[in-house]
Amino acid sequence: MPTLKEVEFYLTGLWLLFRQDPKGLSHLDFSDRGALRSFWAAIFVLPTTLLTFLWWRSVYLQTLPEGADVGPIFFFRLGLVEVANWIVPLVLVGLLSWLVGIGDKFLPIVVISNWLTLPVAYGYGVVLLIMMLLPSLTGLAVILSYLLALMLVISLFRILRMVLGDHVLTIATVSMVLLVPTMILSELLERYLDIYPA
């Protein structure tokens, strides 16, 4: 498991790449081992994941009759959705990389995608805390969530540009494959697993 110092080093690399500084490439491990280790990001975002689960539970309970509750199976199903959201986009990017002949870029894309999850997840964690603790500021929280989504798109595009070069169409396609399926898959799985607020 990477240490906090290593995680800080990786995030610094992402920040440098966002600033279009090629020095950021040396901060990230794009080897097979580095790609596998990047999945530890799922553990580092666990606090925000649990916060999301609790918030989703509260939203879901509002659609049930008064006094109703949900059991452990509810959180297990949310966990399945979370795992799918991590894996499916990367599988699709792997297929895309193979199809368009950029297979050598697949591991860097995996590393970037996984570690970029950290700042994004904690940003959304702040938004959720505002919605949960300060309901009167829900409008502000919604605006912040849209700004975060916009920043994610911009950040991903700029960082991938440092890895994929100036191939705008390829960068845009990879970005869409990483982001769009997650949004679609989440709702589909939540409805199928009956954990979507009616």
Side-chain angles (χ1 to χ4, degrees):
M1 180 174 179
T3 64
L4 289 176
K5 195 68 178 176
E6 287 177 294
V7 173
E8 181 185 352
F9 192 69
Y10 298 148
L11 294 180
T12 300
L14 291 179
W15 173 245
L16 290 172
L17 292 177
F18 174 79
R19 294 174 53 194
Q20 305 295 280
D21 186 341
K23 292 178 183 176
L25 295 171
S26 63
H27 283 65
L28 296 161
D29 184 356
F30 295 141
S31 66
D32 292 346
R33 178 175 177 271
L36 285 174
R37 292 188 76 199
S38 70
F39 284 95
W40 282 104
I43 301 301
F44 286 100
V45 300
L46 198 53
T48 65
T49 302
L50 296 176
L51 179 65
T52 303
F53 285 9
L54 292 174
W55 175 76
W56 194 253
R57 173 184 176 273
S58 69
V59 173
Y60 185 77
L61 287 177
Q62 291 174 13
T63 67
L64 300 180
E66 189 174 347
D69 202 356
V70 293
I73 190 68
F74 178 82
F75 295 103
F76 175 73
R77 290 173 177 173
L78 279 176
L80 291 179
V81 175
E82 191 70 19
V83 169
N85 284 337
W86 272 85
I87 301 301
V88 172
L90 294 179
V91 171
L92 294 177
V93 165
L95 291 173
L96 174 68
S97 300
W98 175 69
L99 286 172
V100 301
I102 57 169
D104 59 321
K105 305 296 184 183
F106 176 61
L107 293 182
I109 293 171
V110 170
V111 171
I112 288 167
S113 174
N114 284 343
W115 289 123
L116 188 58
T117 302
L118 265 71
V120 174
Y122 280 94
Y124 277 111
V126 172
V127 171
L128 285 183
L129 283 175
I130 293 174
M131 295 177 73
M132 294 170 73
L133 303 177
L134 301 167
S136 61
L137 296 180
T138 298
L140 173 63
V142 171
I143 293 172
L144 288 176
S145 68
Y146 284 128
L147 288 175
L148 275 171
L150 178 61
M151 279 305 301
L152 171 58
V153 173
I154 293 171
S155 300
L156 190 58
F157 194 92
R158 288 176 63 85
I159 293 170
L160 287 177
R161 182 172 177 268
M162 297 300 293
V163 173
L164 301 176
D166 291 321
H167 306 287
V168 177
L169 183 58
T170 303
I171 298 169
T173 304
V174 169
S175 298
M176 282 185 10
V177 170
L178 284 172
L179 298 175
V180 176
T182 299
M183 295 182 286
I184 298 172
L185 187 64
S186 289
E187 184 171 342
L188 287 176
L189 284 178
E190 286 161 0
R191 289 183 183 278
Y192 177 75
L193 296 172
D194 195 26
I195 54 174
Y196 190 84

